[in-house]
Amino acid sequence: MSSWAKGASGCVVLIALSWVLDRYSLRLDWGAYLFSRGFFAGILPLLAVYGILLAITNRPWLASLLQAALLVALFVANMKKVEYLHSTVMPTDYFFVKGLDTSSITLLGHYVDVPVVSASAVVLLGVAVLGWRYEAPIFKNHRLARATSLIASIALGWWLLSASRFVERVYDEDALGITYQSMASQLHAGLLSSLVYWNLANQKALDVQPDPVAAGELLALEKATFPPGVAEGSGAATAPDIVVVQSESFFDPALMQGVDTDELLPHLHRAQRETGVRDMTVPTFGGGTLRSEFEFLTGIPLEAYPDLQFPYLQISKPRIEGIVSALNDAGYSTTAIHPNSGQFWNRRATFQAMGFQKFIARKAFPSSAYGDGLYLSDRSMTDQIIDSLEKSHSPSFIFAISIEAHGPYRHMPVRNEAERAARSVPAAWPDKAADEFRTYTYHIRHADEELGRLWTYLKQRRRPYLLVFYGDHLPGLEFVYQAGGFRNGLSPYEQNVPWVILSSEPPVDSMSPRHIYAWMLADEIFRQAGLREPSYFRVVGNAGRLLEQGGGAPRQEIRPGLQSVARMRLAGRFDAFYGSQAHED
């Protein structure tokens, strides 16, 4: 077989391999959507990469082998992400890979079989060396042809990455069957075509423009339904300390059939008996903690930016307005605490832009800090919260982000194996689900204990306080969700997380709803603390109430206005628009 025939056959094999892997990664029949628009559009990125590898190696079978290895790695990563996060690989995952540090590499190491990966890499390297040594070059004394092939392949790849109109027509959303749900998009279009489409979309993630008419209609409806002066806060005589704990992967497993957690989460349940059971919709599942953080800290619903996957990594602004800057203006000291790397998710730079005066990350914890499992414990985080409050000479706002209950949950070491083994599991569950559940509940039991400890400390401190506790998302439990369903009949990624707001004072706002969205939480805090809040938080808080209560307007009329005022806020134009609307009134 000639070298050119080898190259052509290798290319055909790669096209077939990519589609078979694509279907397998979603557990589909390999013929599903075969020869669809997405199938053919997915050939173009394959050709670009293959052409580059062929020009570099000058050996068709070696180039085919290397690209096959890349495809296998891509689809294994896709399977893992679908398994734990119920989402496919996306171009924005680049931002996560770009920010890899020791802590994130260690974390990823627990989700892959490191010996298998290492052995595969060694075998691949050996085969590549043999291929380089014994396979005949395809470009024999044809340097110009080789250079032309390389330039053409790079040009094809560059064209696919560009936002040209022709590329947008080839990778058209409707023609490919792209939806807001990444797994459905892969089903219709294939992963490679979806990646090209989402890359084009992500380039314009922050370009979506507000609709001034929809924003004006929302402001008018909000003002008519919630007249100015109602629950705005009049300025508390003594500003309370505000402590917000975002608890890693925290939810109440009692939502699941056959599970009883009265003995597991006593402090959460006591708080719920005192203040009522409340739940919150968060914009992520299984991971992506920064998405819930961003909505709380800014009050901006991520639905306003459908293609914004990792806001801390995709938004580059020297100043990001939110609850932190508002409390700074109100005379608070503002501190963020996270027992992990400060670089993870680009938190250090983002928190500085948000206005946090201090960020206590993993390196700032004492060497004696108590770890449990793979990470520093919630106990160590609570120690830092208490220490910060003790040292503060002004009203404090502390935002603490725990990590102890982060996955993975199978075959993981813990401090107290007897305690982990004692965690109850439904008898009918298989061993894999039982192992996963015991480890998870072992850690959230500690989160609940620290909620109780912090609550007791704040009560005894004899200063006004507000304590908020919520889960950032449900955990990515692979086998537990297969073993047991939820009492409400919804899927795991449709569930809400619990939230509680505990205060040294009686409730200020009787309108506080039992269900909120993460972007409403800042408004709830300002209302309960009795602090005068920025207009934006009041507007989006009331917009959330309108979504829940109706207020005479259907949801489809409220959401465009909500999204538009959020876009104005991030662009720094909301206050001027709000002022102009008030002037017109």
Side-chain angles (χ1 to χ4, degrees):
M1 182 184 294
S2 70
S3 294
W4 291 104
K6 290 180 183 178
S9 61
C11 194
V12 171
V13 169
L14 286 170
I15 292 171
L17 176 65
S18 70
W19 190 254
V20 171
L21 289 172
D22 190 293
R23 303 296 86 179
Y24 180 74
S25 70
L26 287 180
R27 299 292 193 267
L28 298 170
D29 181 88
W30 70 271
Y33 288 88
L34 183 64
F35 302 132
S36 63
R37 173 73 165 266
F39 171 84
F40 288 107
I43 293 174
L44 295 178
L46 277 175
L47 291 177
V49 175
Y50 181 69
I52 292 171
L53 290 174
L54 181 60
I56 292 174
T57 64
N58 200 15
R59 290 157 177 81
W61 283 0
L62 177 57
S64 300
L65 173 67
L66 294 176
Q67 186 160 358
L70 291 174
L71 284 171
V72 170
L74 173 66
F75 284 105
V76 167
N78 191 63
M79 289 177 64
K80 287 292 183 180
K81 192 173 179 189
V82 168
E83 177 183 324
Y84 289 105
L85 303 181
H86 206 77
S87 175
T88 65
V89 167
M90 299 286 279
T92 43
D93 292 330
Y94 158 77
F95 293 107
F96 174 76
V97 175
K98 179 183 176 182
L100 283 178
D101 59 9
T102 303
S103 63
S104 51
I105 291 173
T106 301
L107 172 61
L108 287 175
H110 294 293
Y111 287 92
V112 298
D113 193 327
V114 176
V116 171
V117 172
S118 302
S120 300
V122 170
V123 171
L124 178 63
L125 178 61
V127 174
V129 170
L130 291 175
W132 182 273
R133 174 68 178 82
Y134 293 107
E135 186 180 0
I138 189 172
F139 298 107
K140 296 180 179 179
N141 303 318
H142 294 290
R143 293 183 180 178
L144 180 60
R146 186 176 182 183
T148 302
S149 174
L150 180 61
I151 292 171
S153 300
I154 292 175
L156 175 59
W158 185 266
W159 176 72
L160 291 171
L161 294 174
S162 71
S164 70
R165 291 184 179 180
F166 188 75
V167 176
E168 290 179 350
R169 285 198 295 269
V170 173
Y171 294 90
D172 177 74
E173 176 180 4
D174 295 328
L176 290 175
I178 299 293
T179 75
Y180 72 94
Q181 216 280 336
S182 65
M183 291 176 64
S185 296
Q186 183 183 343
L187 166 65
H188 299 146
L191 182 61
L192 298 182
S193 294
S194 298
L195 287 172
V196 175
Y197 169 81
W198 287 117
N199 178 66
L200 298 175
N202 290 335
Q203 291 182 45
K204 301 180 289 185
L206 296 175
D207 292 345
V208 286
Q209 297 300 312
D211 180 349
V213 175
E217 290 174 350
L218 174 65
L219 293 182
L221 178 61
E222 184 265 340
K223 184 176 180 181
T225 310
F226 306 98
V230 175
E232 286 187 350
S234 55
T238 302
D241 291 320
I242 302 171
V243 179
V244 180
V245 176
Q246 180 177 275
S247 190
E248 172 63 45
S249 299
F250 189 95
F251 86 109
D252 188 346
L255 295 174
M256 301 188 69
Q257 296 173 356
V259 176
D260 180 8
T261 60
D262 282 345
E263 56 83 28
L264 176 65
L265 306 175
H267 301 291
L268 173 70
H269 292 168
R270 177 164 63 95
Q272 290 175 333
R273 286 192 296 271
E274 291 192 15
T275 65
V277 177
R278 305 168 188 247
D279 66 346
M280 181 166 68
T281 297
V282 292
T284 190
F285 167 80
T289 297
L290 79 165
R291 293 174 61 81
S292 300
E293 270 178 51
F294 177 82
E295 286 203 342
F296 160 55
L297 292 170
T298 64
I300 294 174
L302 283 170
E303 68 180 65
Y305 295 94
D307 298 321
L308 189 64
Q309 298 297 315
F310 301 126
Y312 287 4
L313 299 166
Q314 292 173 265
I315 297 174
S316 180
K317 293 169 67 72
R319 181 174 172 84
I320 302 174
E321 299 286 349
I323 188 173
V324 184
S325 56
L327 291 175
N328 282 335
D329 293 342
Y332 274 73
S333 64
T334 53
T335 302
I337 300 174
H338 181 46
N340 196 23
S341 168
Q343 304 306 120
F344 198 61
W345 288 133
N346 197 36
R347 278 192 177 97
R348 189 173 301 282
T350 303
F351 284 176
Q352 182 177 2
M354 287 180 171
F356 276 109
Q357 298 165 16
K358 188 175 183 180
F359 180 23
I360 302 173
R362 174 65 181 89
K363 287 185 178 179
F365 277 61
S367 58
S368 60
Y370 185 86
D372 201 339
L374 301 176
Y375 315 100
L376 284 186
S377 66
D378 284 21
R379 181 200 300 185
S380 295
M381 184 185 73
T382 304
D383 289 344
Q384 290 297 315
I385 295 172
I386 292 174
D387 184 64
S388 296
L389 289 170
E390 290 291 327
K391 292 177 179 177
S392 179
H393 300 290
S394 60
S396 297
F397 169 64
I398 296 177
F399 178 51
I401 310 154
S402 77
I403 194 163
E404 179 184 337
H406 200 294
Y409 305 104
R410 292 195 62 224
H411 307 306
M412 292 297 112
V414 295
R415 280 268 187 165
N416 189 333
E417 178 55 38
E419 179 190 339
R420 194 194 78 90
R423 300 267 65 85
S424 61
V425 178
W429 284 12
D431 291 343
K432 289 181 178 180
D435 175 49
E436 197 173 49
F437 190 71
R438 286 193 178 98
T439 301
Y440 171 70
T441 53
Y442 169 89
H443 290 301
I444 63 166
R445 172 60 185 265
H446 296 165
D448 183 80
E449 289 173 351
E450 294 308 310
L451 168 62
R453 175 186 169 203
L454 190 54
W455 191 6
T456 298
Y457 165 78
L458 291 170
K459 283 181 178 180
Q460 296 174 346
R461 192 162 174 254
R462 300 187 181 279
R463 261 195 55 80
Y465 70 84
L466 201 65
L467 172 60
V468 179
F469 179 94
Y470 68 91
D472 58 353
H473 53 70
L474 262 68
L477 298 169
E478 178 187 0
F479 299 102
V480 167
Y481 298 142
Q482 296 173 9
F486 286 80
R487 298 178 192 272
N488 59 14
L490 299 177
S491 63
Y493 50 91
E494 294 176 294
Q495 303 297 327
N496 293 327
V497 297
W499 72 285
V500 295
I501 184 166
L502 304 165
S503 176
S504 55
E505 305 298 327
V508 171
D509 185 6
S510 61
M511 295 189 304
S512 181
R514 296 305 178 192
H515 169 259
I516 66 171
Y517 299 85
W519 41 266
M520 295 173 63
L521 187 54
D523 171 61
E524 293 294 324
I525 289 173
F526 276 106
R527 289 170 182 266
Q528 181 60 39
L531 300 173
R532 192 171 300 278
E533 67 177 324
S535 300
Y536 174 77
F537 286 128
R538 192 192 71 249
V539 169
V540 295
N542 285 336
R545 291 174 174 81
L546 288 169
L547 284 174
E548 293 300 300
Q549 302 168 8
R555 292 188 176 195
Q556 61 267 27
E557 293 184 11
I558 297 170
R559 289 197 178 277
L562 171 64
Q563 293 166 6
S564 291
V565 298
R567 292 165 188 164
M568 290 178 179
R569 173 70 166 182
L570 188 60
R573 305 202 304 265
F574 174 80
D575 290 336
F577 180 81
Y578 183 83
S580 68
Q581 294 292 302
H583 180 71
E584 289 179 7
D585 294 341

